[in-house]
Amino acid sequence: ILKWAYINWVVTFFVLWIDVLIILIGWLATDTEGGAERFGLSFAYAVFDPMALWFVCYHQLYKTAVRKKRSWKYGYFGISFGIQLGFMVFICIGVAQSGSAGIVGAIQFFIWGYPFMGVLYLLNFAKNVSLLIHGIIVWIKVRKHHKLTQLENPNAPDDNPIEKAKKLAQIAELAGQLSGRI
């Protein structure tokens, strides 16, 4: 689970820098308004988002949630990573002057008569959507891992063998789902 989360963080880092490069090309190759603002915002995203993502999401996941199995840290990760996924949706949409190379920017470049930039923005949109899907998979894996760790210890003394069998079946089912996705 940590491997998937780390891969998502590294890919996010590189994806945001690719966004900066594409927006810089769009600014230099076309005479559209707002190129400097778009470039500045994309640069700020590429510098600050990976750092914030590391300290707010992944550091919490690695240091406390997975190793110490603290439930509130999983909740904190879920909320903060959900905000990151919302940010990725914002990046995929790419509203004008937002500093992201998304679908709206691609449509604008096609309308303005710059098909090459429109195609670049469409490719960037596809790349961002794939990162968003990977992030959703990481979020689901973390949730399943949390559910698996929250189950009580099945080897604890229990008077009711039926309840113990239900717990074992539930653990086996979740373990199967978790290993099937890995």
Side-chain angles (χ1 to χ4, degrees), residues 74-118:
Y74 278 105
Y76 179 77
F77 172 81
I79 291 170
S80 60
F81 198 69
I83 292 170
Q84 172 65 19
L85 292 177
F87 175 71
M88 288 310 297
V89 168
F90 172 75
I91 293 291
C92 287
I93 293 171
V95 180
Q97 309 304 327
S98 66
S100 60
I103 190 73
V104 173
I107 293 169
Q108 285 177 336
F109 275 115
F110 281 122
I111 290 172
W112 292 336
Y114 298 105
F116 176 72
M117 287 310 303

Side-chain angles (χ1 to χ4, degrees), residues 9 47-59 80 84:
W9 179 74
V47 170
F48 295 116
D49 186 59
M51 286 189 299
L53 192 60
W54 175 259
F55 287 110
V56 173
C57 293
Y58 297 115
H59 183 71
S80 60
Q84 172 65 19

Side-chain angles (χ1 to χ4, degrees), residues 3-176:
K3 178 181 167 186
W4 278 77
Y6 181 72
I7 288 170
N8 190 277
W9 179 74
V10 170
V11 170
T12 301
F13 177 78
F14 286 113
V15 161
L16 289 173
W17 282 106
I18 291 171
D19 283 355
V20 170
L21 180 64
I22 289 175
I23 289 173
L24 178 63
I25 292 169
W27 176 33
L28 297 177
T30 64
D31 58 352
T32 57
E33 288 184 25
E37 292 86 2
R38 216 176 300 159
F39 173 73
L41 280 172
S42 68
F43 189 80
Y45 296 155
V47 170
F48 295 116
D49 186 59
M51 286 189 299
L53 192 60
W54 175 259
F55 287 110
V56 173
C57 293
Y58 297 115
H59 183 71
Q60 296 298 324
L61 178 68
Y62 175 72
K63 288 289 185 184
T64 55
V66 174
R67 289 176 57 202
K68 296 180 183 176
K69 298 178 181 149
R70 292 190 177 150
S71 183
W72 70 275
K73 292 289 185 175
Y74 278 105
Y76 179 77
F77 172 81
I79 291 170
S80 60
F81 198 69
I83 292 170
Q84 172 65 19
L85 292 177
F87 175 71
M88 288 310 297
V89 168
F90 172 75
I91 293 291
C92 287
I93 293 171
V95 180
Q97 309 304 327
S98 66
S100 60
I103 190 73
V104 173
I107 293 169
Q108 285 177 336
F109 275 115
F110 281 122
I111 290 172
W112 292 336
Y114 298 105
F116 176 72
M117 287 310 303
V119 169
L120 271 180
Y121 271 51
L122 280 178
L123 291 173
N124 195 52
F125 167 73
K127 171 189 56 71
N128 287 338
V129 168
S130 66
L131 178 64
L132 177 65
I133 291 169
H134 187 268
I136 291 170
I137 291 170
V138 168
W139 201 24
I140 290 169
K141 284 183 179 284
V142 169
R143 282 204 53 181
K144 287 190 177 191
H145 183 268
H146 175 61
K147 285 182 182 179
L148 186 63
T149 59
Q150 289 302 307
L151 294 174
E152 294 180 3
N153 183 4
N155 297 325
D158 197 346
D159 295 337
N160 191 347
I162 295 173
E163 290 298 320
K164 186 174 181 178
K166 285 181 183 178
K167 287 178 189 175
L168 285 171
Q170 190 177 19
I171 289 171
E173 178 185 357
L174 284 173

